[in-house]
Amino acid sequence: MENKPIARRLRLLSQLMELHEVNPFKIKSIANAAFKVDKLPFSVAGKTLAELEKVEGIGKSTAAKIHELVETGTMTDLEDLLAATPEGVVEMMGIKGIGPKKVAIIWKELGIENTGELYYACNENRLIEAKGFGLKTQEEIRKAIEFRMASNGKFLYAQVTQEANDLLDEIKTIFVDALVEFAGEYRRLCEIISELVIILGSRDQHLAFDTFSKSSILQNITVNANHINGELANGLLVDIICVEKRYFYEELFMQTGSDEHTKAVLARINDELDQPANEELIYVKAGLEFIKPELREGDTFIAKAENNNLPQLISYNDLKGTLHNHSTWSDGVNTIEEMALYCRDTLKLEYLGMCDHSKSAFYAKGLSIERVLQQQEEIDHLNKKLDGFKIFKGIESDILNDGSLDYPEEILKKFDFIVASVHSNLKMDEEKATARIIKAVENPYTTILGHPTGRLLLSRKGYPINYKKVIDACAANNVVIEINANPFRLDLDWRWHQYALEKGVWLSVNPDAHRNEGFLDMHFGILVARKGGLSKDRCLNALSLPAMTQVFEKKRG
């Protein structure tokens, strides 16, 4: 074993010791030894234990640890500390800008156990609440995590929208007479993007190759047949497919849908596509109603298209209000009044549903019973002076380990609506996690099931649940399922929207906003709702204010 990996293991040991608050003298001794081993002009692996003990800066105790590592490939002390530390916490210590002391605060005081949760906390402005953290530190950590995520080659849809649209606009500016459009994952509105595909229909393909090779639009450019490959500054891979104009729509169709979808459509066409003038003609030839790009996953919508029964997909303008939002009463940035005025005057919405955290969410200043009553007094006061707008009294009630909600019945019945969500003990097995959620769904006060799996895209898988059982329970108990519009969540997963709709379950596009800008996440929620085939007549917050009021009153009754 070389000196550098030995030094790295010693350094990790010292960091874990600091994390678990071991004797500071011992921590310093191991840290100094790690530095010393890394700089030695000879290999420590070839030394006997007695020889190691004589090396300046190592000492008897550390020499024994090094000898154990060389002989066995590990150190007992290190393995013991690793066993006592969640894997995600160990990973966090590798992030630039935070050492063991800060990681200890993040883990033990904020309850954050992995990089994904930490990134989410940064975006929710939650990190600055912890001792020793400020806005600048939070921003540096967020950027460091983004850099690491980029190196994995996968991006959230929301992370690349600006760069993707800027690239498309730049290409259109250069090739004025060309046909240019997105294809692939981005055009299908996939929640995770691994490559940006663009179809370029141009009369002069050689000009296109020459232009891209000489410009700074893309980095690391290579040309393979009619594909120009490169990457953006953020590391996102780009594939520009150049074809003659007459083949543009055929190529656009071929490169947009998933393989399964494209094959299913082509199997219905007996002759060649024959240079179609638009994509609609391809579906006409296949005897199908035109299927929008976001629905071109597998063959889910083929039968509906054959019977002219495709859903009229919801749009952002169909939304009349916003539910599940957090104010300064818990972990939000804006006051209730600021959020209400923003929704009414800027977003032109009819209502706002406040859902601050419940009392068990101590990390997010969850509301005690006394504070619930105080907040409701404030909402009553605001509703009297807000003209043509209503604030609904809600709460995001934690689903406790046994499936019960976070307040006694006499408090639960004081809310207009309740979003029930899991925030703790995310490591239950599927059977227990499913039973826990179903019990919460069966509570007569539960109106909406919030972010059903607790997932954080590219970061945390979420707790395992039996989707069918949970959705069936929501159908049986008249509980709405949330499509959490936060681009890190987008939960309920679009792959289960159709099953929920077929069972008669309504969905709600909720931003989970913690500041005014967070309301804009509803745009991403709408995109994933469209991908799942949601229409406005089955979306809760597409209801008008009178209709929404009636729904809440009926549920409470």
Side-chain angles (χ1 to χ4, degrees):
M1 186 178 287
E2 299 294 330
N3 283 7
K4 282 195 178 295
I6 293 172
R8 281 197 294 267
R9 301 305 280 176
L10 288 171
R11 193 174 302 114
L12 176 60
L13 176 59
S14 70
Q15 291 172 330
L16 289 171
M17 290 168 69
E18 188 173 355
L19 181 71
H20 289 277
E21 300 178 335
V22 177
N23 185 304
F25 177 78
K26 291 182 179 180
I27 295 170
K28 187 175 181 180
S29 176
I30 297 293
N32 287 341
F35 180 81
K36 181 70 177 180
V37 169
D38 191 36
K39 303 299 180 184
L40 286 174
F42 55 83
S43 174
V44 297
K47 301 293 182 182
T48 64
L49 178 58
E51 289 172 329
L52 285 173
E53 291 174 357
K54 294 177 182 177
V55 176
E56 183 184 355
I58 290 183
K60 191 172 182 178
S61 175
T62 307
K65 289 179 173 57
I66 295 172
H67 189 262
E68 180 189 6
L69 178 62
V70 172
E71 292 295 315
T72 68
T74 187
M75 289 182 282
T76 303
D77 289 355
L78 178 60
E79 294 303 320
D80 289 346
L81 288 172
L82 285 172
T85 313
E87 187 177 337
V89 174
V90 177
E91 182 187 355
M92 282 194 289
M93 289 198 297
I95 299 172
K96 184 181 178 182
I98 51 176
K101 288 182 180 177
K102 280 190 165 63
V103 172
I105 293 171
I106 291 167
W107 175 28
K108 296 175 182 177
E109 294 186 17
L110 299 181
I112 294 170
E113 291 195 353
N114 62 53
T115 304
E117 291 175 354
L118 177 58
Y119 186 49
Y120 184 75
C122 288
N123 281 277
E124 293 301 315
N125 220 39
R126 190 174 293 170
L127 215 60
I128 60 172
E129 298 171 9
K131 183 181 177 181
F133 290 84
L135 195 61
K136 184 179 178 182
T137 303
Q138 177 177 268
E139 185 63 13
E140 287 173 350
I141 292 171
R142 186 181 68 82
K143 287 181 178 178
I145 296 173
E146 283 182 346
F147 180 81
R148 292 183 65 171
M149 290 170 69
S151 66
N152 293 330
K154 292 183 179 180
F155 297 79
L156 302 180
Y157 181 94
Q159 286 179 307
V160 301
T161 50
Q162 186 64 55
E163 290 88 345
N165 290 323
D166 287 348
L167 174 61
L168 195 73
D169 289 342
E170 194 166 357
I171 293 173
K172 286 180 177 179
T173 301
I174 296 171
F175 301 95
V176 180
D177 297 323
L179 297 170
V180 187
E181 183 57 86
F182 290 117
E185 298 165 332
Y186 191 80
R187 190 173 182 227
R188 294 202 309 275
L189 307 181
C190 293
E191 64 272 41
I192 296 172
I193 308 297
S194 57
E195 183 180 50
L196 195 62
V197 179
I198 295 175
I199 311 300
L200 173 62
S202 174
R203 292 174 183 170
D204 193 343
Q205 292 174 260
H206 294 291
L207 175 62
F209 299 147
D210 190 53
T211 300
F212 284 112
S213 62
K214 291 180 179 178
S215 75
S216 59
I217 298 176
L218 298 177
Q219 301 174 1
N220 303 321
I221 293 175
T222 59
V223 177
N224 182 16
N226 65 330
H227 293 253
I228 300 173
N229 300 109
E231 58 185 70
L232 297 178
N234 64 0
L236 177 62
L237 297 177
V238 177
D239 182 11
I240 300 174
I241 304 173
C242 303
V243 295
E244 293 180 36
K245 270 189 174 182
R246 55 184 173 148
Y247 297 120
F248 176 79
Y249 289 103
E250 178 181 348
E251 191 68 26
L252 183 63
F253 164 76
M254 297 295 292
Q255 297 294 337
T256 293
S258 68
D259 289 343
E260 188 179 357
H261 175 86
T262 305
K263 288 176 182 177
V265 175
L266 293 177
R268 303 171 62 91
I269 301 174
N270 295 323
D271 55 355
E272 294 183 4
L273 293 180
D274 195 27
Q275 302 171 27
N278 54 56
E279 283 187 300
E280 285 82 350
L281 289 174
I282 298 173
Y283 287 92
V284 169
K285 274 195 168 189
L288 300 171
E289 183 183 355
F290 177 68
I291 300 178
K292 294 184 182 299
E294 52 264 51
L295 300 180
R296 300 183 198 176
E297 299 281 357
D299 59 359
T300 303
F301 291 95
I302 296 290
K304 292 181 184 292
E306 185 177 20
N307 297 314
N308 291 313
N309 194 31
L310 287 173
Q312 185 69 40
L313 298 181
I314 191 170
S315 69
Y316 179 81
N317 292 331
D318 291 326
L319 299 182
K320 303 301 180 187
T322 170
L323 305 170
H324 187 175
N325 306 289
H326 301 264
S327 71
T328 49
W329 278 88
S330 62
D331 59 346
V333 173
N334 293 101
T335 65
I336 297 176
E337 184 171 15
E338 288 170 343
M339 298 181 95
L341 291 173
Y342 182 82
C343 288
R344 186 192 69 176
D345 301 337
T346 303
L347 302 181
K348 308 301 180 186
L349 297 174
E350 299 176 13
Y351 52 86
L352 164 68
M354 288 313 307
C355 281
D356 278 300
H357 285 285
S358 62
K359 60 180 182 177
S360 291
F362 59 88
Y363 56 86
K365 296 191 299 181
L367 275 60
S368 64
I369 291 176
E370 182 182 11
R371 293 181 69 226
V372 166
L373 300 177
Q374 290 171 349
Q375 186 192 62
Q376 293 195 352
E377 282 185 16
E378 180 182 324
I379 291 174
D380 285 337
H381 172 72
L382 289 170
N383 276 332
K384 288 177 182 177
K385 73 174 190 176
L386 287 170
D387 186 35
F389 189 85
K390 181 167 183 177
I391 304 170
F392 287 108
K393 301 169 186 173
I395 195 79
E396 185 178 19
S397 179
D398 268 30
I399 298 175
L400 305 180
N401 286 343
D402 64 354
S404 59
L405 300 188
D406 204 11
Y407 295 107
E409 184 176 345
E410 60 266 26
I411 298 301
L412 293 175
K413 66 185 181 182
K414 290 181 178 293
F415 296 105
D416 293 319
F417 73 108
I418 291 171
V419 175
S421 306
V422 171
H423 290 106
S424 60
N425 197 358
L426 308 182
K427 297 178 181 178
M428 288 182 175
D429 61 36
E430 183 178 305
E431 185 177 355
K432 288 183 179 178
T434 300
R436 175 193 195 183
I437 292 175
I438 288 176
K439 183 177 177 181
V441 165
E442 290 173 345
N443 188 305
Y445 294 100
T446 298
T447 317
I448 301 172
L449 175 61
H451 45 70
T453 72
R455 75 179 187 182
L456 294 176
L457 292 168
L458 295 180
S459 305
R460 184 175 73 198
K461 203 174 178 183
Y463 34 88
I465 62 170
N466 185 312
Y467 281 93
K468 288 187 176 181
K469 286 185 178 180
V470 168
I471 291 170
D472 290 348
C474 288
N477 292 277
N478 192 29
V479 169
V480 177
I481 299 180
E482 172 179 86
I483 301 173
N484 191 294
N486 187 303
F488 298 95
R489 290 190 183 274
L490 301 178
D491 182 19
L492 179 70
D493 191 308
W494 60 265
R495 295 162 184 83
W496 288 97
H497 291 186
Q498 280 300 298
Y499 182 81
L501 295 170
E502 288 166 3
K503 289 292 181 176
V505 176
W506 281 51
L507 304 177
S508 182
V509 179
N510 295 343
D512 200 353
H514 286 67
R515 56 170 66 84
N516 283 344
E517 294 81 3
F519 291 119
L520 302 179
D521 283 347
M522 288 193 292
H523 286 283
F524 299 113
I526 284 295
L527 295 183
V528 81
R530 288 174 63 88
K531 191 163 182 60
L534 179 64
S535 54
K536 70 175 183 179
D537 60 333
R538 299 290 296 281
C539 178
L540 183 66
N541 57 315
L543 293 175
S544 65
L545 175 56
M548 180 62 79
T549 303
Q550 189 175 13
V551 166
F552 287 160
E553 287 177 351
K554 183 178 179 182
K555 178 72 175 178
R556 291 172 68 197

